[in-house]
Amino acid sequence: MLNKLIVGGLLVASLVAVSVLSAQQRPALTAEQEARLQIQPVPGKPGLFIIPGFDGNMSGGNMAVRVTDEGVILVDNKFADSFAGIMQQVRKLTDAPIRYVLNTHSHFDHAGSNADFMPAAQVIGHENARANMLRNGDAGPPSVTYDGRTAVFMGDAEVQAHYFGRGHTSGDSVVYFPDLRTVHTGDLVLWGDRMDGTTLTPFIDYANGGSALAWTTTLDGLLTLDFDTVIPGHGPLLTRADVLEFQDKFSRMMMRMTRLIDAGTSRDAIVTAIDLTDLNWPMAPERLQAIYDEIYSR
Ligand SMILES: [Zn+2]
């Protein structure tokens, strides 16, 4: 998610603001909200835990925590000031060192504390995620990159990272726990409500190589993996059927948009012409127009 970045036409100004985003600028969490963000086991998946995240504003992305006798593997690490809180939560489970950190993508609410983990851990991301972070001047670009697929092995665990193509950004990794039949999708899949009660919708980060036209094909790649449990970029644990539903909703949105464009609907008119109420995706007008531009210039 990058909700903060697409308010009005203030993309560039907001990008600057994000790099100095701090705890002080994020809304304070209530005790009830804090309780929702505590580390918890993924049911039926021994050794796998989640530190929940419901948005890019208050709680960050979902983190996966794989615990083995020899060390810990993390997927994502929330915001730039999240390191101490993450360590506190992981230390409730184990004193084993954190050896690997995998990034699902480059955004500040997923890879924000990379730099804090680097002294002790390898931080791994897709080569395009590193390129995006370097271009944007973000701290802690991954120190190890891959192109199509990679894996780390520790104790009895294997954790794979797969690149299936563009979608949310140009560098989205799907992280796969084959023995647990579980995937962490990053923001290629997100679900439900933010902590402030508003509804999550897909965000195509065109400034970082995202593509609405490629997104559902990228999900086809994800669906070639054998899994029954899904950790989305933000939101509750999901099933394989939920991913299929998400993909179907995305396809329907794109078909409607394409049909309207082919019928001559203008960039201004598309915002009111397209009806997405049955999808429960309240897409912001500027997000719809960005997709319009991609389809129009295809
Ligand atoms: Zn994101």
Side-chain angles (χ1 to χ4, degrees), residues 195-219:
M195 293 199 100
D196 68 7
T198 58
T199 303
L200 290 163
T201 57
F203 172 51
I204 299 93
D205 183 3
Y206 287 104
N208 287 299
S211 169
L213 287 170
W215 196 307
T216 56
T217 308
T218 298
L219 291 178

Side-chain angles (χ1 to χ4, degrees), residues 1-2 105 107 109-110 168-169 187 203 234:
M1 289 301 301
L2 261 181
H105 61 293
H107 285 157
D109 54 332
H110 296 264
H168 178 57
T169 70
D187 285 356
F203 172 51
H234 306 269

Side-chain angles (χ1 to χ4, degrees), residues 38-39 51 82-93:
Q38 297 307 300
I39 194 165
I51 302 178
S82 296
F83 178 73
I86 291 166
M87 291 308 294
Q88 196 179 27
Q89 297 222 49
V90 172
R91 288 292 167 250
K92 292 179 189 171
L93 304 177

Side-chain angles (χ1 to χ4, degrees), residues 8-283:
L10 300 175
L11 180 67
V12 174
S14 300
L15 278 168
V16 175
V18 161
S19 64
V20 294
L21 195 75
S22 72
Q24 289 71 35
Q25 290 164 297
R26 288 202 306 274
L29 298 173
T30 64
E32 193 179 24
Q33 288 171 329
E34 287 282 8
R36 291 180 68 197
L37 302 179
Q38 297 307 300
I39 194 165
Q40 51 198 265
V42 176
K45 307 296 179 181
L48 186 61
F49 299 80
I50 178 174
I51 302 178
F54 299 96
D55 46 58
N57 185 18
M58 299 170 73
S59 57
N62 276 321
M63 285 182 57
V65 181
R66 181 75 196 259
V67 178
T68 77
D69 293 343
E70 294 173 22
V72 177
I73 302 166
L74 300 183
V75 182
D76 284 351
N77 50 47
K78 297 183 184 274
F79 302 109
D81 59 358
S82 296
F83 178 73
I86 291 166
M87 291 308 294
Q88 196 179 27
Q89 297 222 49
V90 172
R91 288 292 167 250
K92 292 179 189 171
L93 304 177
T94 176
D95 288 327
I98 292 168
R99 303 271 297 277
Y100 297 101
V101 176
L102 281 71
N103 289 159
T104 60
H105 61 293
S106 56
H107 285 157
F108 70 97
D109 54 332
H110 296 264
S113 52
N114 272 2
D116 292 313
F117 287 96
M118 282 183 174
Q122 298 277 14
V123 176
I124 303 166
H126 189 263
E127 59 189 18
N128 294 346
R130 176 178 161 86
N132 287 338
M133 291 182 78
L134 288 173
R135 192 183 58 256
N136 296 328
D138 297 331
S143 48
V144 178
T145 65
Y146 76 100
D147 179 7
R149 171 187 165 157
T150 192
V152 298
F153 299 85
M154 204 172 50
D156 57 353
E158 173 183 3
V159 183
Q160 302 172 359
H162 294 258
Y163 182 71
F164 292 117
R166 296 164 66 203
H168 178 57
T169 70
S170 61
D172 301 320
S173 291
V174 171
V175 178
Y176 182 43
F177 304 88
D179 56 326
L180 302 178
R181 300 183 66 216
T182 299
V183 286
H184 189 316
T185 65
D187 285 356
L188 287 169
V189 178
L190 34 77
W191 198 274
D193 292 340
R194 301 182 185 90
M195 293 199 100
D196 68 7
T198 58
T199 303
L200 290 163
T201 57
F203 172 51
I204 299 93
D205 183 3
Y206 287 104
N208 287 299
S211 169
L213 287 170
W215 196 307
T216 56
T217 308
T218 298
L219 291 178
D220 282 338
L222 188 165
L223 286 159
T224 63
L225 300 173
D226 176 29
F227 63 89
D228 60 17
T229 299
V230 180
I231 301 170
H234 306 269
L237 291 173
L238 305 174
T239 63
R240 187 179 182 90
D242 294 327
V243 175
L244 288 166
E245 183 180 332
F246 179 94
Q247 185 187 38
D248 183 59
K249 287 168 66 168
F250 206 110
S251 297
R252 281 190 277 166
M253 175 176 73
M254 294 302 286
M255 278 189 299
R256 288 173 203 177
M257 186 82 91
T258 304
R259 210 176 295 136
L260 286 166
I261 291 171
D262 289 347
T265 309
S266 73
R267 190 177 193 275
D268 285 339
I270 197 85
V271 179
T272 46
I274 192 162
D275 184 1
L276 301 175
T277 45
D278 59 321
L279 307 184
N280 189 27
W281 277 354
M283 300 284 289

